[in-house]
Amino acid sequence: MLEKRLLTKRFDKYDGLNIKTYQTLEGYEALKKAFNMSKEDIIKEVKMSRLTGRGGANFPTHIKMTSMLNETGEKFVVCNADEGEPGNFKDRYLMENDPYQLIEGMTISAYAIDAHKGYIYIRGEYNEAINRLQKAIERAYMNKTLGKHILDTDFSFDLEIRRGAGAYVCGEEFALIESIEGHAGRTRVKPPFPTQEGIFKHPTLINNVETFSTLCEIVLNGGKAYSQIGSNYASGTKLISLSGNVKHKGLFEVPYGTTIMDVITECGGGTNGDIPIQMVQIGGACGPIIPPRLLHMDIDNEAFEIFDAKMGAGAIIVIDENYDLFEIVLKNMQFFLHESCGKCAPCREGHFQMVKILERFVDYKATKKDYQSLKTLAEVIHDTTLCGLGQTSTTSVISTMTYFDEVYQKRIEQSKDVK
Ligand SMILES: Cc1cc2nc3c(=O)[nH]c(=O)nc-3n(C[C@H](O)[C@H](O)[C@H](O)COP(=O)(O)O)c2cc1C
Ligand code: SF4
């Protein structure tokens, strides 16, 4: 069995809202254990676990927690539940199916860094997740697992939901902070980092839904046990949002070290109609598009770094031979053109030009000059923009030019014959 269910272990065991049932399923055991540990020891367990952020950047979680603990004064804990990356739905599943796990993980974090106020910044379209989280928060207050004197200790923690308004860039941590403060969602120049100057200029710990949820497992069963799951490169499990042409689309939790191909065949059951796979996009619209010969890569493979990309938030999108590569890449660029906040000229204007060029590839009207311009634009946007949107948005172009160059050249040749 490929799946290893740590974060999703309660998914089919309760309705996600009955807090008493949650408690019979090991719920709040991690928090009780944390309250009997020092803050430093909790962070030590997180360090030992080798946990890295599951929002896409893979930053070691204990480093942020240590920086936060070293700060003084009012501090905030923020859960990034914006999940705007196309192809990803893992955070939605976590919030809908086990919201208390997230609340418990955030409370452990808050206790470990000495914060007393938290926000969950959630994608505005996630109505069901918002309703369920809101109910779970209310019940947690009634159950004394949120609010004052949690579980009859001296520790207090308040938590509220902030709803996003549909901008992808608000998943970027500085844009998210601006949005919570009530400003337009635009990034800031860093440093200072959020752990130094976040919400209302106070130190702020921002982590992804999956990262916070994982803390319960780490505290409950120990960092060492967690670090032994997975691979040398990355520990623990990863939630994979599997979509595209596979027989079984959906959410799967697998240990790091599993290959992409195993996820597609064993979890996804292979392609519908056994149509050959043409390519797979990893991570979402900002991730690389790779050919079948690279599907033996682990989901944590360092090979992704050649694209300046990582596994990202964990989407695997399977694209079969019935699709036109240029239509796929064009859709990606249209998305980023729409989502650019407009602050940097290369991002604002560059995506517009890339869309125009890719339309010509789709319409069999592309020239060699178009090819060169597309390449230059992709590199310039990647190298000169302020935030991660521009720095990753052209990965699908760069990776397809690397692995499917013959498709580009063929389309240019075919375009010569089309009047
Ligand atoms: C354009 C853009 C969008 C992002 N969207 C998300 C998101 O929806 N959810 C998320 O957790 N992180 C997102 N991130 C990454 C966050 O900036 C940040 O690294 C993350 O929330 C940190 O949490 P982690 O350490 O637990 O991964 C995004 C980054 C960029 C550049
Ligand atoms: S890279 Fe794009 S989204 Fe990011 S700040 Fe610049 S214009 Fe805005």
Side-chain angles (χ1 to χ4, degrees):
M1 187 60 194
L2 198 61
E3 280 193 90
K4 180 159 184 69
R5 295 182 60 175
L6 302 178
L7 294 181
T8 54
K9 66 184 175 194
R10 276 182 289 262
F11 271 24
D12 43 13
K13 302 238 163 50
Y14 86 123
D15 68 354
L17 282 178
N18 189 321
I19 197 162
K20 300 289 173 212
T21 317
Y22 176 72
Q23 282 171 307
T24 64
L25 297 168
E26 292 187 334
Y28 286 116
E29 292 302 320
L31 184 61
K32 282 182 200 158
K33 190 171 168 191
F35 282 154
N36 286 313
M37 294 165 73
S38 70
K39 296 173 189 314
E40 290 79 4
D41 280 349
I42 297 172
I43 298 175
K44 260 188 215 155
E45 290 298 327
V46 178
K47 183 175 181 187
M48 212 184 299
S49 74
R50 297 189 287 132
L51 176 68
T52 56
R54 304 303 200 224
N58 274 6
F59 191 79
T61 308
H62 73 92
I63 296 181
K64 284 201 230 177
M65 292 177 81
T66 305
S67 313
M68 287 295 295
L69 184 59
N70 292 337
E71 295 287 340
T72 51
E74 192 178 11
K75 309 174 195 179
F76 292 102
V77 174
V78 174
C79 174
N80 189 342
D82 198 47
E83 199 165 61
E85 187 69 48
N88 286 287
F89 41 81
K90 69 183 180 76
D91 294 340
R92 175 165 71 80
Y93 273 57
L94 279 175
M95 292 183 289
E96 286 178 3
N97 289 287
D98 205 357
Y100 295 118
Q101 179 174 239
L102 169 60
I103 295 170
E104 184 178 353
M106 288 187 74
T107 312
I108 292 171
S109 262
Y111 172 73
I113 62 164
D114 204 18
H116 301 279
K117 174 80 193 173
Y119 296 98
I120 299 174
Y121 185 88
I122 186 167
R123 180 177 170 154
E125 294 94 328
Y126 278 2
N127 290 322
E128 179 68 10
I130 292 168
N131 290 340
R132 292 175 74 79
L133 259 179
Q134 189 57 52
K135 279 188 189 139
I137 289 173
E138 284 160 17
R139 290 176 193 191
Y141 270 99
M142 285 191 286
N143 195 49
K144 291 193 81 174
T145 41
L146 272 180
K148 295 205 187 314
H149 302 295
I150 292 177
L151 296 173
D152 296 322
T153 63
D154 286 340
F155 182 67
S156 305
F157 181 55
D158 284 311
L159 186 58
E160 68 179 85
I161 293 176
R162 285 294 164 96
R163 205 173 170 142
Y168 167 76
V169 77
C170 284
E172 193 277 335
E173 53 195 9
F174 283 102
L176 184 153
I177 289 168
E178 292 284 327
S179 178
I180 289 184
E181 288 179 356
H183 306 136
R186 290 204 164 152
T187 193
R188 295 178 190 166
V189 176
K190 52 185 164 185
F193 293 98
T195 47
Q196 302 160 307
E197 243 181 61
I199 296 178
F200 305 117
K201 297 209 183 303
H202 291 285
T204 302
L205 177 73
I206 303 180
N207 278 128
N208 173 257
V209 176
E210 187 179 347
T211 316
F212 278 126
S213 300
T214 304
L215 287 181
C216 300
E217 174 66 29
I218 290 170
V219 171
L220 190 60
N221 295 316
K224 192 165 174 221
Y226 188 82
S227 76
Q228 284 164 351
I229 303 163
S231 70
N232 289 337
Y233 185 63
S235 67
T237 59
K238 183 77 199 82
L239 293 180
I240 301 290
S241 310
L242 181 63
S243 66
N245 184 358
V246 276
K247 288 193 183 101
H248 315 294
K249 301 180 198 3
L251 188 76
F252 300 95
E253 183 174 5
V254 296
Y256 274 105
T258 305
T259 69
I260 299 165
M261 195 52 159
D262 280 346
V263 174
I264 294 171
T265 51
E266 291 194 35
C267 302
T271 57
N272 272 309
D274 293 326
I275 306 171
I277 295 172
Q278 179 186 183
M279 54 199 171
V280 174
Q281 188 160 23
I282 308 291
C286 71
I289 294 182
I290 60 173
R293 70 186 153 85
L294 292 185
L295 296 181
H296 62 274
M297 286 201 310
D298 295 354
I299 57 164
D300 51 13
N301 202 306
E302 288 166 80
F304 283 110
E305 284 168 14
I306 62 169
F307 310 105
D308 233 1
K310 299 201 167 65
M311 182 59 204
I316 295 183
I317 306 164
V318 181
I319 302 156
D320 68 39
E321 285 188 346
N322 287 330
Y323 288 86
D324 180 14
L325 177 146
F326 299 104
E327 285 187 17
I328 303 284
V329 180
L330 173 62
K331 285 254 173 329
N332 284 320
M333 288 310 113
Q334 285 168 330
F335 173 75
F336 289 115
L337 171 62
H338 184 258
E339 295 298 339
S340 166
C341 82
K343 190 164 175 161
C344 323
C347 178
R348 186 181 64 237
E349 305 299 332
H351 286 120
F352 179 78
Q353 295 304 334
M354 289 181 83
V355 164
K356 292 283 156 219
I357 295 172
L358 283 163
E359 281 171 354
R360 288 200 285 279
F361 272 94
V362 169
D363 294 340
Y364 290 79
K365 290 178 181 164
T367 61
K368 276 192 173 152
K369 197 169 165 232
D370 283 331
Y371 175 84
Q372 201 45 54
S373 303
L374 191 66
K375 196 169 191 206
T376 307
L377 281 164
E379 288 163 359
V380 169
I381 294 173
H382 174 274
D383 292 345
T384 61
T385 44
L386 182 60
C387 89
L389 186 150
Q391 288 153 10
T392 58
S393 61
T394 60
T395 307
S396 63
V397 172
I398 293 169
S399 56
T400 49
M401 284 184 149
T402 305
Y403 291 114
F404 299 89
D405 195 54
E406 70 287 357
V407 182
Y408 280 84
Q409 301 310 330
K410 189 173 170 196
R411 186 60 55 95
I412 293 165
E413 281 306 307
Q414 289 168 325
S415 298
K416 287 180 187 160
D417 303 331
V418 179
K419 294 223 168 102

